[in-house]
Amino acid sequence: MGQLLFAKKGCIRISLDGLLCLLPSSRAAWIPPGVKHRAEMRQVVDYRSLYFDLGQFPVLPGKVQVIEVNPLLRAVLERLAMADFDTDWQQARHANLLSVCIEEINQAKQEPLLLVFPLDRRVSCLQENLEQLPLALHLFAQQIAASEKTISRIFQRETGMSYQEWRQQWRLLRAVEMLAENGKLSETASALGFASDSAFIAFFKSRTGKTPRVYLS
């Protein structure tokens, strides 16, 4: 079964094979059938988990996605999650709800909250501490005794991003997670190496289209 995991409140970290997925409030993660994953909830989280048979709903996405949950999808998910286990989903009223849910999932805006990890053993240490900001490229090259060009080739080949771009994506996910946990913008900006709060806000807005406060409201 495919799983739709919706975080009504709090933040969920989802670890998959070579992929990190972050799920803040008012977002949902779609995980196709057969994808092994672990959901970690480190603080109080209010969530809903629904399962879909892709044999009946083949139009659902074939890859992991994080999507925005608009008010309509939120209301429908709540109705589906709270329905009795013996609900007949072929019945007109429930079938209509289900149809709206599938349509809204497919039309939902995708969120940039996925981080692909390279599988090359030379850079595998990056998965060991997901709370610590990865080193700048020249320092990371010194740490693992590899050239900057070698590291750049690994990341471009295995993630589709340069090391610098990958590091920025890591910063975004960690920023969302820290803000969801403690809500302290200045503390988050400092921990992630930004020179000022305004620089951090500009970075965040360039990646998500919204300021941190609006994004997590």
Side-chain angles (χ1 to χ4, degrees), residues 6-10 23-28 67-70 74 111 215 217:
F6 168 47
K8 294 181 64 179
K9 178 183 178 182
L23 190 59
S25 61
S26 298
R27 274 74 182 180
I67 61 174
E68 184 179 55
V69 176
N70 63 27
R74 184 188 184 99
E111 298 282 351
Y215 189 84
S217 61

Side-chain angles (χ1 to χ4, degrees), residues 13-100:
R13 180 188 289 182
I14 305 173
S15 302
L16 307 100
D17 186 18
L19 182 68
L20 180 66
C21 170
L22 198 67
L23 190 59
S25 61
S26 298
R27 274 74 182 180
W30 168 253
I31 305 172
V35 177
K36 293 183 179 180
H37 60 281
R38 179 182 66 191
E40 181 182 355
M41 306 170 193
R42 299 191 295 180
Q43 292 190 345
V44 176
V45 175
D46 185 6
Y47 71 95
R48 300 289 182 262
S49 185
L50 293 90
Y51 297 87
F52 297 85
D53 182 355
L54 263 65
Q56 296 184 48
F57 308 105
V59 297
L60 286 169
K63 60 181 181 179
V64 176
Q65 295 181 0
V66 177
I67 61 174
E68 184 179 55
V69 176
N70 63 27
L72 175 58
L73 181 54
R74 184 188 184 99
V76 171
L77 290 176
E78 189 69 12
R79 296 289 293 274
L80 295 180
M82 295 295 102
D84 294 334
F85 281 104
D86 59 354
T87 296
D88 180 3
W89 295 105
Q90 303 301 318
Q91 184 183 7
R93 176 170 170 269
H94 293 117
N96 289 339
L97 276 175
L98 195 52
S99 178
V100 170

Side-chain angles (χ1 to χ4, degrees), residues 195-214:
S196 65
D197 290 359
S198 58
F200 169 63
I201 292 171
F203 160 80
F204 197 98
K205 191 172 182 180
S206 72
R207 311 288 291 198
T208 66
K210 300 177 182 177
T211 64
R213 186 181 301 276
V214 172

Side-chain angles (χ1 to χ4, degrees), residues 35-208:
V35 177
K36 293 183 179 180
H37 60 281
R38 179 182 66 191
E40 181 182 355
M41 306 170 193
R42 299 191 295 180
Q43 292 190 345
V44 176
V45 175
D46 185 6
Y47 71 95
R48 300 289 182 262
S49 185
L50 293 90
Y51 297 87
F52 297 85
D53 182 355
L54 263 65
Q56 296 184 48
F57 308 105
V59 297
L60 286 169
K63 60 181 181 179
V64 176
Q65 295 181 0
V66 177
I67 61 174
E68 184 179 55
V69 176
N70 63 27
L72 175 58
L73 181 54
R74 184 188 184 99
V76 171
L77 290 176
E78 189 69 12
R79 296 289 293 274
L80 295 180
M82 295 295 102
D84 294 334
F85 281 104
D86 59 354
T87 296
D88 180 3
W89 295 105
Q90 303 301 318
Q91 184 183 7
R93 176 170 170 269
H94 293 117
N96 289 339
L97 276 175
L98 195 52
S99 178
V100 170
C101 181
I102 300 300
E103 179 67 18
E104 289 298 311
I105 291 172
N106 284 327
Q107 296 299 320
K109 175 188 174 185
Q110 293 189 42
E111 298 282 351
L113 296 175
L114 299 174
L115 183 67
V116 178
F117 283 97
L119 300 178
D120 193 293
R121 59 178 178 78
R122 289 169 288 185
V123 296
S124 61
C125 59
L126 289 169
Q127 298 189 51
E128 295 174 0
N129 188 350
L130 299 178
E131 278 74 39
Q132 183 176 352
L133 175 66
L135 296 170
L137 178 58
H138 69 285
L139 295 176
F140 184 57
Q142 294 174 17
Q143 182 187 64
I144 67 171
S147 70
E148 294 182 25
K149 288 185 177 180
T150 296
I151 295 172
S152 297
R153 283 196 298 269
I154 291 172
F155 273 82
Q156 196 64 53
R157 180 181 69 245
E158 299 194 10
T159 72
M161 295 183 283
S162 67
Y163 179 81
Q164 292 89 337
E165 177 65 15
W166 183 90
R167 186 170 180 262
Q168 292 292 74
Q169 182 66 6
W170 181 95
R171 284 172 119 185
L172 174 63
L173 267 68
R174 184 61 180 143
V176 170
E177 189 171 49
M178 290 184 69
L179 289 169
E181 290 178 351
N182 60 43
K184 298 178 180 178
L185 190 145
S186 293
E187 184 178 308
T188 299
S190 176
L192 297 180
F194 289 94
S196 65
D197 290 359
S198 58
F200 169 63
I201 292 171
F203 160 80
F204 197 98
K205 191 172 182 180
S206 72
R207 311 288 291 198
T208 66

